[in-house]
Amino acid sequence: MMKAVQVLSLTLLSVLAVSAMTFHSGRCPTPPVQQSFDPTRYMGRWYEIQKIPNAFQLGECAQATYTLKDGVVLVLNEELLADGTVSSIEGTAKAKDPSEPAKLEVSFFEGVPPGNYWVLSTDYDNYTLVYGCTNYLNLFHVEFAWILSRGRSLPKETLVELQDILISNGIKIDTLTSTDQELKRCSAMPQ
């Protein structure tokens, strides 16, 4: 059994080392989420402005569309790949605990454990700050973060405010990258 755990640990470390994700020692932080979160107001199109890079997003012009149906959020993520094609994936999200509606779990593949999608801050009309984290063997974790907007840009002051929320909760932003949302480049994206 111990040998299997060691092999699994080395395999996970190898995969993470060659992917775009960064791992950190210890368990995931647990930042506070948006109080009185209203899923209905959150629905609609959001454009990715910045993110902590990950292995499952490879393009630019990334956008997410959320639709509420029977208490489940239908998720459509789309991005423009380097070859000019639009890549998309559909999934679902729902609150694990109805008393904490800003802590969602999102699934894209059957049989694969869901990922965390925690809304740390949103004004529903302009910006949202989303955080996710996955623990591995309680030894290390991989973080995900997205700053999204209802439009293709956000004021610098808003970006700094949202980045400060991450920093104040022990989430490193040194790998945060901006997503190209330039209208001419993103014209092939579905409207």
Side-chain angles (χ1 to χ4, degrees):
M1 177 66 174
M2 185 58 140
K3 185 85 165 167
V5 169
Q6 289 173 334
V7 170
L8 178 63
S9 297
L10 287 174
T11 302
L12 284 172
L13 286 171
S14 298
V15 168
L16 291 171
V18 298
S19 74
M21 297 184 287
T22 303
F23 60 94
H24 307 279
S25 63
R27 294 184 50 78
C28 292
T30 54
V33 296
Q34 176 83 20
Q35 293 296 309
S36 304
F37 179 68
D38 182 352
T40 303
R41 290 184 62 200
Y42 196 78
M43 297 302 104
R45 169 86 37 91
W46 290 96
Y47 297 94
E48 180 183 278
I49 304 302
Q50 291 187 330
K51 70 173 178 260
I52 293 177
N54 56 66
F56 48 85
Q57 285 183 282
L58 305 174
E60 297 294 340
C61 307
Q63 59 190 40
T65 305
Y66 304 120
T67 309
L68 194 58
K69 184 176 180 184
D70 300 325
V72 175
V73 178
L74 306 179
V75 179
L76 173 61
N77 288 342
E78 301 166 298
E79 65 182 343
L80 185 64
L81 300 178
D83 66 2
T85 60
V86 175
S87 172
S88 66
I89 187 167
E90 294 181 10
T92 59
K94 61 182 176 179
K96 183 176 182 177
D97 178 352
S99 71
E100 293 185 293
K103 289 185 176 182
L104 296 122
E105 291 184 327
V106 64
S107 297
F108 291 100
F109 304 102
E110 195 172 312
V112 176
N116 293 331
Y117 183 104
W118 290 8
V119 180
L120 302 187
S121 180
T122 186
D123 71 352
Y124 302 101
D125 298 321
N126 299 292
Y127 69 84
T128 188
L129 173 61
V130 177
Y131 176 73
C133 190
T134 302
N135 287 307
Y136 291 96
L137 304 172
N138 292 325
L139 299 174
F140 60 95
H141 64 275
V142 176
E143 294 179 315
F144 309 94
W146 296 270
I147 295 175
L148 308 175
S149 174
R150 291 292 190 187
R152 293 192 179 277
S153 65
L154 275 176
K156 177 74 173 161
E157 307 79 47
T158 305
L159 284 173
V160 170
E161 181 181 315
L162 298 173
Q163 292 166 357
D164 285 346
I165 292 171
L166 293 171
I167 292 167
S168 69
N169 286 287
I171 301 161
K172 296 182 182 190
I173 65 163
D174 54 328
T175 61
L176 206 61
T177 60
S178 294
T179 302
D180 187 349
Q181 289 288 357
E182 195 269 317
L183 193 54
K184 185 175 177 183
R185 177 185 177 107
C186 300
S187 63
M189 292 298 291
Q191 301 300 315

